[in-house]
Amino acid sequence: MEKPTEYSLTWEVTDEMTAKRIGSAGSRILSTPNMVALMEATALELAKAYLAEDQTTVGAEIHCRHLAPTPVGMKVTATARLRSIERRKMWFDIEVNDEKGKCGEGSHLRIMVTQQGMKEKAEKKAEN
């Protein structure tokens, strides 16, 4: 079976996702951190098709442009396209659209890791 190279995820903008909620001077619109969270969640879902059973991915880098405001109550959709895989690195191009058009874009790097390896690193860090 052929693996997908594109995945879309849609969220409805709620009051908890607004710029005002995170202390910004913005009004009832989607905050940039929440747009980034949607972008990352979309890439994560697409990445799952490429992973072994004991693997996951971690976000390592994101570049984004927030191009237009999206008000509370409107749906916003991120579409991730897998650009390349270089050993453990997965590069994605992501476009974000609300019901009126394009509102964001960017690129995202996720690193393939074993779940056990991540757990061990986190536990070791917690000890120090």
Side-chain angles (χ1 to χ4, degrees):
M1 192 169 114
E2 200 170 304
K3 294 179 180 175
T5 57
E6 186 174 301
Y7 183 84
S8 294
L9 184 61
T10 300
W11 289 353
E12 183 173 326
V13 180
T14 64
D15 278 321
E16 288 74 34
M17 299 163 69
T18 64
K20 190 171 192 161
R21 171 88 183 217
I22 61 166
S24 171
S27 56
R28 294 183 67 226
I29 58 171
L30 177 68
S31 71
T32 301
N34 279 286
M35 183 186 78
V36 168
L38 174 60
M39 295 168 85
E40 202 170 350
T42 305
L44 173 60
E45 285 302 313
L46 179 54
K48 286 178 181 179
Y50 294 82
L51 302 176
E53 199 173 298
D54 67 333
Q55 286 184 309
T56 188
T57 61
V58 292
E61 189 175 308
I62 193 155
H63 300 270
C64 75
R65 294 176 55 212
H66 200 160
L67 305 170
T70 304
V72 167
M74 190 173 277
K75 286 185 170 59
V76 63
T77 300
T79 300
R81 290 173 190 85
L82 180 60
R83 184 189 334 145
S84 66
I85 298 177
E86 302 162 18
R87 296 203 310 257
R88 298 186 317 132
K89 295 179 179 181
M90 300 181 80
W91 286 99
F92 300 89
D93 292 312
I94 306 170
E95 186 172 299
V96 183
N97 288 277
D98 60 27
E99 296 169 37
K100 301 292 184 179
K102 188 173 179 178
C103 59
E105 63 186 9
S107 62
H108 181 41
L109 169 63
R110 298 194 70 78
I111 308 292
M112 292 183 259
V113 297
T114 63
Q115 293 176 348
Q116 184 64 30
M118 279 301 291
K119 182 180 176 215
E120 289 170 4
K121 280 186 178 179
E123 287 171 355
K124 188 171 184 174
K125 188 176 260 189
E127 291 170 5
N128 296 335

